[in-house]
Amino acid sequence: MRPAPLPVRDGLGPARVRLHGGPVLAELTARFGEQARAKVLAGEVVDADGVVIDAATVLPTGASVYLYRDLPDEVPVPFDIPVLYRDDDIVVVDKPHFLATMPRGSHVAQTALVRLRNELDLPELSPAHRLDRLTAGVLLFTARREVRGAYQMLFARGLVHKTYVAAAALNPALELPRVVRSRIIKRRGHLQAVVEPGEPNAETLVELVSPDGLYRLTPRTGRTHQLRVHMASLGLPIIGDPLYPNVIEMPADDFSTPLRLLAQRIEFDDPIAGSRRTFVSRREEGVWS
């Protein structure tokens, strides 16, 4: 995809809107209301070539326009984002709990991507993979557009070895270690992922590493909420999980009960440098705040 014609502003790139075709002002007003109309009339909307859209602009079906979105009101996440490693190509951080990886829904400015772009002055920063908002730990970003695809492909192809630790209850009758395999489906608009009959698409090695309920989880696939679903399926939901096995409504400003899940370690062969890379969270096992 060609670069957006508007630069990153305040850590956030412009929104891209694909058009149905016809007068742009009328379409944007019908779809997004008076705020979008005001942006067009103020000259704040451009086409793919960076040409300013005005009240008379007509564009064909499939054309795109770009504009900066209005940020929602967000509760600040009161945790820093420690940098574990940084060079010209990548930035590796120790993401805190409660901070989404990148903008989605009501979480925009309070995301690791936007905050790090601002803090590190890296407008091309982009995540090579994602962690759930409630999961803490090692998260890798690319610093330059030119290397983005190489690192993202590592994760997409399953070439990154990941290790997590989690806290959960104990069940002496449960034989561990064991490999959990299931078919996990996450549907748009649904908070929970579900296990369905069919060919397994998710696999996790579960090991008990201490008698106080600390587990090592080694995912061999990367389905949404995979570790949380697999632990709940064993009757050992991760402590602090507001989704599994049951949905619990949590106030947006309540940071007192983090999910006891930490992305502790990632290892991979660097596609640019060629060397073996290992990055480890500095958070102590069992310390979740």
Side-chain angles (χ1 to χ4, degrees), residues 174-196:
L174 186 66
E175 185 177 340
L176 294 173
R178 70 167 57 195
V179 175
V180 183
R181 297 183 181 89
S182 62
R183 182 170 184 80
I184 296 177
I185 303 297
K186 179 68 166 65
R187 293 186 172 85
R188 184 182 295 274
H190 293 260
L191 294 176
Q192 291 181 317
V194 295
V195 174
E196 294 188 345

PDB file of all heavy atoms in Angstrom, residues 174-196:
ATOM      1  N   LEU A 174      -4.909 -32.676  37.640  1.00  0.00           N
ATOM      2  CA  LEU A 174      -4.647 -32.379  36.229  1.00  0.00           C
ATOM      3  C   LEU A 174      -3.214 -32.755  35.887  1.00  0.00           C
ATOM      4  O   LEU A 174      -2.266 -32.266  36.507  1.00  0.00           O
ATOM      5  CB  LEU A 174      -4.886 -30.898  35.956  1.00  0.00           C
ATOM      6  CG  LEU A 174      -4.799 -30.448  34.500  1.00  0.00           C
ATOM      7  CD1 LEU A 174      -5.908 -31.066  33.667  1.00  0.00           C
ATOM      8  CD2 LEU A 174      -4.855 -28.927  34.411  1.00  0.00           C
ATOM      9  N   GLU A 175      -3.056 -33.611  34.904  1.00  0.00           N
ATOM     10  CA  GLU A 175      -1.730 -34.067  34.506  1.00  0.00           C
ATOM     11  C   GLU A 175      -1.045 -33.014  33.641  1.00  0.00           C
ATOM     12  O   GLU A 175      -1.541 -32.641  32.586  1.00  0.00           O
ATOM     13  CB  GLU A 175      -1.835 -35.389  33.738  1.00  0.00           C
ATOM     14  CG  GLU A 175      -0.484 -35.993  33.400  1.00  0.00           C
ATOM     15  CD  GLU A 175      -0.610 -37.337  32.715  1.00  0.00           C
ATOM     16  OE1 GLU A 175      -1.684 -37.967  32.836  1.00  0.00           O
ATOM     17  OE2 GLU A 175       0.360 -37.758  32.046  1.00  0.00           O
ATOM     18  N   LEU A 176       0.093 -32.540  34.126  1.00  0.00           N
ATOM     19  CA  LEU A 176       0.891 -31.546  33.412  1.00  0.00           C
ATOM     20  C   LEU A 176       2.342 -32.004  33.402  1.00  0.00           C
ATOM     21  O   LEU A 176       2.774 -32.702  34.320  1.00  0.00           O
ATOM     22  CB  LEU A 176       0.780 -30.174  34.095  1.00  0.00           C
ATOM     23  CG  LEU A 176      -0.599 -29.502  34.078  1.00  0.00           C
ATOM     24  CD1 LEU A 176      -0.569 -28.232  34.937  1.00  0.00           C
ATOM     25  CD2 LEU A 176      -1.036 -29.170  32.661  1.00  0.00           C
ATOM     26  N   PRO A 177       3.127 -31.627  32.396  1.00  0.00           N
ATOM     27  CA  PRO A 177       2.753 -30.765  31.259  1.00  0.00           C
ATOM     28  C   PRO A 177       1.836 -31.478  30.273  1.00  0.00           C
ATOM     29  O   PRO A 177       1.793 -32.707  30.224  1.00  0.00           O
ATOM     30  CB  PRO A 177       4.104 -30.431  30.631  1.00  0.00           C
ATOM     31  CG  PRO A 177       4.966 -31.603  30.971  1.00  0.00           C
ATOM     32  CD  PRO A 177       4.549 -32.031  32.345  1.00  0.00           C
ATOM     33  N   ARG A 178       1.166 -30.679  29.484  1.00  0.00           N
ATOM     34  CA  ARG A 178       0.320 -31.214  28.429  1.00  0.00           C
ATOM     35  C   ARG A 178       0.205 -30.200  27.300  1.00  0.00           C
ATOM     36  O   ARG A 178       0.383 -28.995  27.507  1.00  0.00           O
ATOM     37  CB  ARG A 178      -1.078 -31.566  28.934  1.00  0.00           C
ATOM     38  CG  ARG A 178      -1.946 -30.383  29.305  1.00  0.00           C
ATOM     39  CD  ARG A 178      -3.402 -30.811  29.485  1.00  0.00           C
ATOM     40  NE  ARG A 178      -3.545 -31.863  30.485  1.00  0.00           N
ATOM     41  CZ  ARG A 178      -4.642 -32.605  30.620  1.00  0.00           C
ATOM     42  NH1 ARG A 178      -5.692 -32.401  29.827  1.00  0.00           N
ATOM     43  NH2 ARG A 178      -4.722 -33.533  31.559  1.00  0.00           N
ATOM     44  N   VAL A 179      -0.089 -30.703  26.116  1.00  0.00           N
ATOM     45  CA  VAL A 179      -0.324 -29.851  24.957  1.00  0.00           C
ATOM     46  C   VAL A 179      -1.831 -29.751  24.749  1.00  0.00           C
ATOM     47  O   VAL A 179      -2.521 -30.781  24.658  1.00  0.00           O
ATOM     48  CB  VAL A 179       0.362 -30.410  23.696  1.00  0.00           C
ATOM     49  CG1 VAL A 179      -0.006 -29.574  22.473  1.00  0.00           C
ATOM     50  CG2 VAL A 179       1.874 -30.440  23.879  1.00  0.00           C
ATOM     51  N   VAL A 180      -2.341 -28.527  24.723  1.00  0.00           N
ATOM     52  CA  VAL A 180      -3.760 -28.278  24.498  1.00  0.00           C
ATOM     53  C   VAL A 180      -3.949 -27.900  23.031  1.00  0.00           C
ATOM     54  O   VAL A 180      -3.298 -26.977  22.535  1.00  0.00           O
ATOM     55  CB  VAL A 180      -4.292 -27.154  25.402  1.00  0.00           C
ATOM     56  CG1 VAL A 180      -5.784 -26.959  25.194  1.00  0.00           C
ATOM     57  CG2 VAL A 180      -3.990 -27.469  26.867  1.00  0.00           C
ATOM     58  N   ARG A 181      -4.828 -28.619  22.352  1.00  0.00           N
ATOM     59  CA  ARG A 181      -5.136 -28.331  20.952  1.00  0.00           C
ATOM     60  C   ARG A 181      -6.640 -28.141  20.812  1.00  0.00           C
ATOM     61  O   ARG A 181      -7.427 -28.912  21.372  1.00  0.00           O
ATOM     62  CB  ARG A 181      -4.696 -29.473  20.037  1.00  0.00           C
ATOM     63  CG  ARG A 181      -3.205 -29.739  20.020  1.00  0.00           C
ATOM     64  CD  ARG A 181      -2.868 -30.854  19.029  1.00  0.00           C
ATOM     65  NE  ARG A 181      -1.454 -31.154  19.014  1.00  0.00           N
ATOM     66  CZ  ARG A 181      -0.859 -32.048  19.802  1.00  0.00           C
ATOM     67  NH1 ARG A 181      -1.610 -32.720  20.685  1.00  0.00           N
ATOM     68  NH2 ARG A 181       0.434 -32.262  19.719  1.00  0.00           N
ATOM     69  N   SER A 182      -7.033 -27.128  20.068  1.00  0.00           N
ATOM     70  CA  SER A 182      -8.459 -26.896  19.837  1.00  0.00           C
ATOM     71  C   SER A 182      -8.638 -25.992  18.632  1.00  0.00           C
ATOM     72  O   SER A 182      -7.669 -25.444  18.096  1.00  0.00           O
ATOM     73  CB  SER A 182      -9.123 -26.266  21.070  1.00  0.00           C
ATOM     74  OG  SER A 182      -8.549 -25.010  21.350  1.00  0.00           O
ATOM     75  N   ARG A 183      -9.875 -25.823  18.236  1.00  0.00           N
ATOM     76  CA  ARG A 183     -10.215 -24.893  17.157  1.00  0.00           C
ATOM     77  C   ARG A 183     -10.831 -23.651  17.790  1.00  0.00           C
ATOM     78  O   ARG A 183     -11.930 -23.716  18.374  1.00  0.00           O
ATOM     79  CB  ARG A 183     -11.196 -25.535  16.170  1.00  0.00           C
ATOM     80  CG  ARG A 183     -11.554 -24.620  14.996  1.00  0.00           C
ATOM     81  CD  ARG A 183     -12.329 -25.357  13.910  1.00  0.00           C
ATOM     82  NE  ARG A 183     -12.573 -24.482  12.775  1.00  0.00           N
ATOM     83  CZ  ARG A 183     -11.675 -24.204  11.842  1.00  0.00           C
ATOM     84  NH1 ARG A 183     -10.466 -24.747  11.910  1.00  0.00           N
ATOM     85  NH2 ARG A 183     -11.964 -23.401  10.835  1.00  0.00           N
ATOM     86  N   ILE A 184     -10.130 -22.529  17.701  1.00  0.00           N
ATOM     87  CA  ILE A 184     -10.569 -21.283  18.331  1.00  0.00           C
ATOM     88  C   ILE A 184     -11.010 -20.306  17.255  1.00  0.00           C
ATOM     89  O   ILE A 184     -10.279 -20.051  16.290  1.00  0.00           O
ATOM     90  CB  ILE A 184      -9.444 -20.661  19.177  1.00  0.00           C
ATOM     91  CG1 ILE A 184      -9.076 -21.587  20.347  1.00  0.00           C
ATOM     92  CG2 ILE A 184      -9.861 -19.295  19.709  1.00  0.00           C
ATOM     93  CD1 ILE A 184      -7.914 -21.082  21.182  1.00  0.00           C
ATOM     94  N   ILE A 185     -12.201 -19.736  17.429  1.00  0.00           N
ATOM     95  CA  ILE A 185     -12.759 -18.766  16.491  1.00  0.00           C
ATOM     96  C   ILE A 185     -13.094 -17.488  17.254  1.00  0.00           C
ATOM     97  O   ILE A 185     -13.745 -17.527  18.296  1.00  0.00           O
ATOM     98  CB  ILE A 185     -14.031 -19.299  15.799  1.00  0.00           C
ATOM     99  CG1 ILE A 185     -13.738 -20.622  15.076  1.00  0.00           C
ATOM    100  CG2 ILE A 185     -14.589 -18.271  14.832  1.00  0.00           C
ATOM    101  CD1 ILE A 185     -12.731 -20.500  13.950  1.00  0.00           C
ATOM    102  N   LYS A 186     -12.635 -16.358  16.747  1.00  0.00           N
ATOM    103  CA  LYS A 186     -12.969 -15.046  17.321  1.00  0.00           C
ATOM    104  C   LYS A 186     -13.748 -14.264  16.280  1.00  0.00           C
ATOM    105  O   LYS A 186     -13.239 -13.932  15.211  1.00  0.00           O
ATOM    106  CB  LYS A 186     -11.704 -14.288  17.705  1.00  0.00           C
ATOM    107  CG  LYS A 186     -11.943 -12.895  18.281  1.00  0.00           C
ATOM    108  CD  LYS A 186     -12.599 -12.938  19.633  1.00  0.00           C
ATOM    109  CE  LYS A 186     -12.533 -11.581  20.357  1.00  0.00           C
ATOM    110  NZ  LYS A 186     -13.306 -10.542  19.653  1.00  0.00           N
ATOM    111  N   ARG A 187     -15.021 -13.983  16.571  1.00  0.00           N
ATOM    112  CA  ARG A 187     -15.889 -13.295  15.621  1.00  0.00           C
ATOM    113  C   ARG A 187     -15.966 -11.805  15.945  1.00  0.00           C
ATOM    114  O   ARG A 187     -15.994 -11.416  17.120  1.00  0.00           O
ATOM    115  CB  ARG A 187     -17.287 -13.914  15.627  1.00  0.00           C
ATOM    116  CG  ARG A 187     -17.306 -15.342  15.074  1.00  0.00           C
ATOM    117  CD  ARG A 187     -18.722 -15.893  14.956  1.00  0.00           C
ATOM    118  NE  ARG A 187     -18.719 -17.172  14.245  1.00  0.00           N
ATOM    119  CZ  ARG A 187     -18.489 -18.349  14.821  1.00  0.00           C
ATOM    120  NH1 ARG A 187     -18.258 -18.404  16.128  1.00  0.00           N
ATOM    121  NH2 ARG A 187     -18.488 -19.458  14.110  1.00  0.00           N
ATOM    122  N   ARG A 188     -16.002 -11.010  14.901  1.00  0.00           N
ATOM    123  CA  ARG A 188     -16.104  -9.564  15.053  1.00  0.00           C
ATOM    124  C   ARG A 188     -17.355  -9.209  15.852  1.00  0.00           C
ATOM    125  O   ARG A 188     -18.438  -9.740  15.610  1.00  0.00           O
ATOM    126  CB  ARG A 188     -16.152  -8.897  13.675  1.00  0.00           C
ATOM    127  CG  ARG A 188     -16.156  -7.371  13.730  1.00  0.00           C
ATOM    128  CD  ARG A 188     -16.250  -6.791  12.328  1.00  0.00           C
ATOM    129  NE  ARG A 188     -15.074  -7.117  11.537  1.00  0.00           N
ATOM    130  CZ  ARG A 188     -13.948  -6.417  11.524  1.00  0.00           C
ATOM    131  NH1 ARG A 188     -13.850  -5.329  12.293  1.00  0.00           N
ATOM    132  NH2 ARG A 188     -12.938  -6.775  10.763  1.00  0.00           N
ATOM    133  N   GLY A 189     -17.205  -8.302  16.803  1.00  0.00           N
ATOM    134  CA  GLY A 189     -18.334  -7.855  17.606  1.00  0.00           C
ATOM    135  C   GLY A 189     -18.573  -8.691  18.853  1.00  0.00           C
ATOM    136  O   GLY A 189     -19.423  -8.334  19.668  1.00  0.00           O
ATOM    137  N   HIS A 190     -17.837  -9.792  19.011  1.00  0.00           N
ATOM    138  CA  HIS A 190     -17.983 -10.643  20.190  1.00  0.00           C
ATOM    139  C   HIS A 190     -16.736 -10.507  21.066  1.00  0.00           C
ATOM    140  O   HIS A 190     -15.612 -10.593  20.564  1.00  0.00           O
ATOM    141  CB  HIS A 190     -18.181 -12.106  19.789  1.00  0.00           C
ATOM    142  CG  HIS A 190     -19.474 -12.367  19.084  1.00  0.00           C
ATOM    143  ND1 HIS A 190     -20.586 -12.904  19.702  1.00  0.00           N
ATOM    144  CD2 HIS A 190     -19.840 -12.147  17.788  1.00  0.00           C
ATOM    145  CE1 HIS A 190     -21.579 -13.012  18.837  1.00  0.00           C
ATOM    146  NE2 HIS A 190     -21.145 -12.554  17.667  1.00  0.00           N
ATOM    147  N   LEU A 191     -16.929 -10.321  22.367  1.00  0.00           N
ATOM    148  CA  LEU A 191     -15.800 -10.144  23.260  1.00  0.00           C
ATOM    149  C   LEU A 191     -14.981 -11.418  23.407  1.00  0.00           C
ATOM    150  O   LEU A 191     -13.756 -11.376  23.455  1.00  0.00           O
ATOM    151  CB  LEU A 191     -16.282  -9.678  24.633  1.00  0.00           C
ATOM    152  CG  LEU A 191     -16.925  -8.289  24.704  1.00  0.00           C
ATOM    153  CD1 LEU A 191     -17.442  -8.016  26.116  1.00  0.00           C
ATOM    154  CD2 LEU A 191     -15.927  -7.217  24.293  1.00  0.00           C
ATOM    155  N   GLN A 192     -15.658 -12.548  23.493  1.00  0.00           N
ATOM    156  CA  GLN A 192     -14.980 -13.815  23.726  1.00  0.00           C
ATOM    157  C   GLN A 192     -14.691 -14.553  22.430  1.00  0.00           C
ATOM    158  O   GLN A 192     -15.496 -14.532  21.488  1.00  0.00           O
ATOM    159  CB  GLN A 192     -15.818 -14.717  24.618  1.00  0.00           C
ATOM    160  CG  GLN A 192     -15.953 -14.273  26.061  1.00  0.00           C
ATOM    161  CD  GLN A 192     -16.779 -15.266  26.860  1.00  0.00           C
ATOM    162  OE1 GLN A 192     -17.810 -15.753  26.401  1.00  0.00           O
ATOM    163  NE2 GLN A 192     -16.334 -15.581  28.064  1.00  0.00           N
ATOM    164  N   ALA A 193     -13.561 -15.221  22.388  1.00  0.00           N
ATOM    165  CA  ALA A 193     -13.322 -16.244  21.381  1.00  0.00           C
ATOM    166  C   ALA A 193     -13.971 -17.538  21.871  1.00  0.00           C
ATOM    167  O   ALA A 193     -14.164 -17.729  23.076  1.00  0.00           O
ATOM    168  CB  ALA A 193     -11.830 -16.446  21.163  1.00  0.00           C
ATOM    169  N   VAL A 194     -14.310 -18.419  20.955  1.00  0.00           N
ATOM    170  CA  VAL A 194     -14.991 -19.662  21.331  1.00  0.00           C
ATOM    171  C   VAL A 194     -14.272 -20.853  20.718  1.00  0.00           C
ATOM    172  O   VAL A 194     -13.609 -20.753  19.694  1.00  0.00           O
ATOM    173  CB  VAL A 194     -16.466 -19.655  20.874  1.00  0.00           C
ATOM    174  CG1 VAL A 194     -17.247 -18.569  21.600  1.00  0.00           C
ATOM    175  CG2 VAL A 194     -16.579 -19.477  19.368  1.00  0.00           C
ATOM    176  N   VAL A 195     -14.428 -21.994  21.383  1.00  0.00           N
ATOM    177  CA  VAL A 195     -13.898 -23.257  20.875  1.00  0.00           C
ATOM    178  C   VAL A 195     -15.003 -23.956  20.106  1.00  0.00           C
ATOM    179  O   VAL A 195     -16.125 -24.122  20.617  1.00  0.00           O
ATOM    180  CB  VAL A 195     -13.386 -24.143  22.023  1.00  0.00           C
ATOM    181  CG1 VAL A 195     -12.967 -25.510  21.493  1.00  0.00           C
ATOM    182  CG2 VAL A 195     -12.224 -23.462  22.740  1.00  0.00           C
ATOM    183  N   GLU A 196     -14.715 -24.362  18.880  1.00  0.00           N
ATOM    184  CA  GLU A 196     -15.697 -25.019  18.032  1.00  0.00           C
ATOM    185  C   GLU A 196     -15.171 -26.368  17.571  1.00  0.00           C
ATOM    186  O   GLU A 196     -13.952 -26.590  17.530  1.00  0.00           O
ATOM    187  CB  GLU A 196     -16.020 -24.147  16.811  1.00  0.00           C
ATOM    188  CG  GLU A 196     -16.711 -22.841  17.157  1.00  0.00           C
ATOM    189  CD  GLU A 196     -17.186 -22.109  15.913  1.00  0.00           C
ATOM    190  OE1 GLU A 196     -16.724 -22.474  14.797  1.00  0.00           O
ATOM    191  OE2 GLU A 196     -18.008 -21.185  16.047  1.00  0.00           O
TER     192      GLU A 196
END
